[in-house]
Amino acid sequence: MRKILDRFRGGSGTTEGPGIGTGTLRADFTASLVVFLVAVPLCVGVAVASGVPAELGLITGIVGGLVTGFLPGSSLQVSGPAAGLTVLVYEAVEKYGLAALGVLVLAAGLLQLVMGALRLGRWFRAISVAVVQGMLAGIGLVLIASQLYALADAKAPSSGLGKIGHIPELIGDVAGSGTALKAVAVGVATIAVLVLWPRFRRGAELLPAPLAAVALATGATAAFDLPIARVEVQGLLDAIQPPGGSEFAALAEVGVIGTILAFTLIASAESLFSAAAVDRLHDGPRTDYDKELMAQGAGNALCGVLGALPMTAVIVRSSANVRAGAKTKASRVLHGVWLLVFAVLFPSALGVIPVAALAGVLIHAGWKLIPSKDLVPLWREHRGEAVVLMVTAGAIVVTNMFEGVIIGLLMAVAKTAWETSHVHVEVRGLDGDEPIRVRVLGNATFLRLPKLLDELEALPRERVVELDLSGLRHVDHACGMALATWTERHNAVVSHEAGSTDARGSKTPGSPDAPEAPEEHKVLA
């Protein structure tokens, strides 16, 4: 028994952290109930917003607790379905069908296991923070836009731009429909409770804001018998759809592979960035990023086998776990137990929840994904990073999740290359008739090539140029070839013109009547 309890000590397999005692178990038990109450509306809401049965969200939460929660990696962060993958899952289900979701999640989980085994988890910390923030901001914008339609019990357009572009039309439809106005009122009231509830300390200590908001909205809907849409329930076992052979055949499609890569990248990055944030909230064992990546992969692989939603570590549930006083990973495992008990014994409870209330929860969650408070300071201090953030978010809205993230990563690489490719040009020997000596220092890349060639073109056309590149720490192929070609052509023209001038008896450079030039010219390209 002691060995089993010791498994709950640290997330990284170390012996650090608190021992297992009555006080620790009591704290973990209490924290698990808090996390369970936070997780229920979020699991259901993410599933409904993703276009899949509500039970699949609970299944992912259960796996996140019982499987990922038990594995080593991080001690206190909690995994489950996340709002950050809602848009991508919805697009995948719309394009490939619900039956293919299991294959996508399974493949992403196996890929995470491989990356963890290859110790690539730590490298996710090298991803630009601006790209991650832009990714979350783009997800938040599309999530808010899509849930505005769910708020009014209306069907949302498929594209991100379509969701935003049809908002004026949605407003007109809502204004002319009494039923839609009632649904919107329930959703707006839910958002108001989410914003105001944390200000009431006693209430917040008893119930988490998401559960309180959904409970109040559900009670009001039932009390006034409002004719608005409720969550559809089909049973836990009926919702499980393991993928078949025909679904695995879709792995040969390029689009499916791209979706799998997007699942893997976003789920891994969000989980590991969440782990870094959670580590700052407690003094227990630190996260082992490689083991945590493997734990997430194992959870996603099982979710794929069950045909459920993909999982990530979720900062909302994780921070609630820490604030509730959790000491070991027992709290997150127990929260999975409570989710399983709820899904098995009280599935009909989901059928009374209004969809508009869940839409309000996700609109609030989408707004929190947008770094609105950080954008202005980031623009003042690191303008390039702010541009990367905004371009990534905009690309996700205009295109899709995968292409938007790729564009953001390329922007981050280009920005870094631009900032590091400083070239210093030293020009000597302008006075006299000897060849002009040009020495280039720094890092020469194609990004600085136009400016560099402009400076070389400004040199006297009638003088031979000797180009010295030995001072360059780095020169890419394009830049090296362009500089060599320019020097060869320039000197060939000088030799040709010098021969023609001498044959006509004209004055050559350096003669008494030739214009004088300064001894040294320096420019920074």
Side-chain angles (χ1 to χ4, degrees), residues 444-465:
T445 68
F446 68 95
L447 296 172
R448 297 289 183 175
L449 186 56
K451 181 68 174 179
L452 186 56
L453 290 177
D454 287 343
E455 297 298 336
L456 293 177
E457 291 288 351
L459 295 174
R461 296 180 179 272
E462 69 278 5
R463 301 281 299 282
V464 173
V465 172

Side-chain angles (χ1 to χ4, degrees), residues 77-130:
Q77 79 168 354
V78 183
S79 300
L85 286 171
T86 301
V87 176
L88 186 58
V89 172
Y90 183 86
E91 293 175 353
V93 171
E94 284 285 305
K95 189 172 184 179
Y96 305 112
L98 179 59
L101 180 61
V103 173
L104 300 176
V105 179
L106 173 60
L110 295 176
L111 191 55
Q112 285 180 308
L113 282 169
V114 172
M115 291 192 301
L118 295 176
R119 303 184 64 82
L120 299 180
R122 68 193 69 182
W123 289 100
F124 275 87
R125 289 179 289 179
I127 296 178
S128 169
V129 176

Side-chain angles (χ1 to χ4, degrees), residues 347-380:
S348 58
L350 300 177
V352 301
I353 300 175
V355 173
L358 297 178
V361 171
L362 291 174
I363 288 174
H364 183 259
W367 176 255
K368 292 174 71 174
L369 290 175
I370 302 173
S372 53
K373 295 181 180 179
D374 300 331
L375 190 56
V376 173
L378 188 64
W379 178 263
R380 292 173 180 170

